[in-house]
Amino acid sequence: MRKFGIILLGIGIIQMIGQIISSIQGKRFDNEFFITSCGILTLGIIFYVSGNYLKNKAKKKAKTYKEIGWGKVIMWLFIIMLGIATLGRVIMSVSENSFNEQVKKANQSCPISTAGGTGQITSIAIKDSMVIYNIDYDANVINLDRLEENSDNYKRIIILSSYLLNGQNNNGDRFMKIILDNHYGIAFKVQSNNGKEFTISANISELKALLHEAEKYPTEAMKEVLEWQIKDSQYTLPIKLDDDMTLVAILCDSTSLIYRVVIEEPLTISDFKDTNTSMNRGAILRELYCEPSSKANLDMCAIGNFNLVYRYVDEMNVDSCDIIFWHSEISDIVKIPKSLNFR
């Protein structure tokens, strides 16, 4: 048994020294390797101490203590090393699936674009019984005073949209459920580049009620999010999209989300009518889905059961052209979280 102990101690010490050197050199700390090294060292000590005890016991009884042969040592060493490695992987797997590790992984995905590309989640962390999101907005686009004045509505909207729009790097719905399942509340520390900041929070009961609402009635919840965003966007309109195009209004009727764009010369409505006839609709939708602000629009349309309409109007408001992306086309591109009770 002492042979086992000496060999295991030697292997464990070498692995531990290697881990220390790697850490000093600034390399990533390998938790699995560290757990394995500790296991080997522990077993080495147990075998060596047990071997010494049995040897001393044999001496007291005037008996000969016989060490195990090298062949068996190597065989059992292989079995033990394999077992330790397997145990290390199991422990790491459990650790990586812990709530703290899930939050760390979500934080590593930051910054995450939000609010159609006008803001970003810069960090996610745990403090006390809350998961804290730090969100930065562009003050030129988002008025934080207005959000703070309507903080209760904003809280509803940001939680609903985070869940419905799959905000956490395409895992928003899952991550929100993990927060709730681990009995944490959620808080949003909101700030802008002009120094303005405020914090809103939802305890476990509030979060549970909102997620239940979003899961059971996703279309209705998405319409609420959409109505809020349309109302909020009115403060920033009109927006110059190009030298000859200006976004003047965002509207929502019972079937469609409508962007009203006024065009100027040299563009003509005929140009858009020709484009509407010849364009590859699927390719354009896929391209739009790769751009943050357009992706947010398509997500909202898919869940809210809306068509997406770009309504181009000439300066004199005489002629117009609607380029319509139907809900069925959008649903082919946008992945809706399976957890939602989408109808």
Side-chain angles (χ1 to χ4, degrees):
M1 290 183 74
R2 292 193 311 163
K3 289 180 182 178
F4 267 132
I6 292 170
I7 292 172
L8 289 173
L9 281 169
I11 293 171
I13 290 169
I14 291 170
Q15 286 190 340
M16 198 65 77
I17 291 171
Q19 183 77 354
I20 292 169
I21 292 172
S22 295
S23 298
I24 292 171
Q25 292 176 344
K27 295 181 180 178
R28 185 181 70 87
F29 190 83
D30 192 328
N31 289 321
E32 183 180 334
F33 195 75
F34 177 74
I35 291 170
T36 303
S37 301
C38 289
I40 291 171
L41 282 171
T42 302
L43 277 178
I45 292 169
I46 291 171
F47 275 113
Y48 187 76
V49 170
S50 298
N52 265 343
Y53 172 76
L54 292 174
K55 185 177 181 180
N56 291 332
K57 187 177 180 181
K59 278 183 178 180
K60 287 180 181 179
K61 293 183 177 181
K63 293 182 179 179
T64 303
Y65 175 73
K66 187 177 180 181
E67 288 277 4
I68 190 171
W70 283 107
K72 289 185 177 179
V73 167
I74 293 170
M75 180 188 73
W76 283 107
L77 186 62
F78 174 77
I79 293 171
I80 290 169
M81 293 288 285
L82 185 63
I84 291 173
T86 303
L87 180 62
R89 289 185 180 277
V90 170
I91 293 171
M92 280 301 301
S93 175
V94 172
S95 172
E96 286 175 357
N97 288 322
S98 71
F99 181 62
N100 284 351
E101 287 298 321
Q102 292 287 343
V103 174
K104 285 181 183 178
K105 284 184 179 181
N107 184 56
Q108 288 167 3
S109 300
C110 294
I112 301 167
S113 178
T114 186
T118 60
Q120 59 180 11
I121 299 170
T122 57
S123 67
I124 305 170
I126 295 175
K127 185 176 181 181
D128 300 326
S129 60
M130 290 283 181
V131 175
I132 313 291
Y133 284 69
N134 283 286
I135 305 177
D136 286 355
Y137 284 120
D138 183 350
N140 296 319
V141 181
I142 303 293
N143 186 326
L144 257 63
D145 288 325
R146 195 166 62 249
L147 294 183
E148 188 173 17
E149 288 169 5
N150 298 277
S151 58
D152 287 340
N153 285 336
Y154 175 62
K155 177 167 61 176
R156 276 184 60 83
I157 296 305
I158 195 170
I159 292 175
L160 289 174
S161 61
S162 295
Y163 184 71
L164 292 169
L165 297 180
N166 240 358
Q168 302 307 317
N169 201 26
N170 293 327
N171 269 312
D173 58 318
R174 178 172 171 267
F175 190 64
M176 282 286 179
K177 290 297 291 273
I178 290 173
I179 292 173
L180 184 62
D181 291 344
N182 283 274
H183 308 291
Y184 278 78
I186 193 166
F188 300 93
K189 184 179 180 182
V190 185
Q191 54 193 13
S192 66
N193 50 6
N194 65 0
K196 173 72 177 177
E197 67 175 55
F198 67 94
T199 300
I200 55 174
S201 61
N203 59 33
I204 298 171
S205 299
E206 289 178 286
L207 182 60
K208 184 177 181 179
L210 279 171
L211 295 192
H212 176 74
E213 181 181 337
E215 192 171 295
K216 192 172 182 180
Y217 307 108
T219 300
E220 292 79 358
M222 191 73 259
K223 286 179 180 177
E224 182 182 343
V225 171
L226 190 53
E227 286 169 4
W228 165 279
Q229 294 197 0
I230 289 173
K231 180 181 177 182
D232 195 59
S233 69
Q234 304 307 316
Y235 296 96
T236 63
L237 297 176
I239 299 173
K240 199 76 173 173
L241 301 178
D242 209 337
D243 291 338
D244 38 29
M245 287 195 296
T246 304
L247 176 63
V248 296
I250 304 173
L251 312 168
C252 184
D253 61 21
S254 59
T255 61
S256 302
L257 172 62
I258 305 166
Y259 285 79
R260 184 180 173 87
V261 180
V262 172
I263 65 168
E264 305 169 18
E265 292 183 349
L267 289 177
T268 67
I269 294 299
S270 297
D271 296 332
F272 289 94
K273 289 180 178 178
D274 293 340
T275 301
N276 198 15
T277 304
S278 60
M279 68 182 181
N280 183 332
R281 304 173 65 79
I284 290 176
L285 275 175
R286 284 189 289 273
E287 187 177 333
L288 287 172
Y289 200 58
C290 292
E291 200 277 318
S293 60
S294 299
K295 179 183 183 299
N297 294 335
L298 293 173
D299 285 337
M300 286 189 288
C301 287
I303 299 172
N305 205 16
F306 289 108
N307 306 315
L308 178 61
V309 180
Y310 291 98
R311 179 165 294 160
Y312 296 96
V313 184
D314 63 21
E315 288 182 277
M316 303 303 294
N317 199 23
V318 174
D319 198 5
S320 66
C321 173
D322 283 358
I323 295 180
I324 304 173
F325 295 101
W326 303 103
H327 178 262
S328 57
E329 295 177 300
I330 295 170
S331 298
D332 289 337
I333 303 296
V334 178
K335 293 181 180 178
I336 298 174
K338 292 180 181 179
S339 57
L340 300 184
N341 182 34
F342 183 70
R343 299 179 298 281

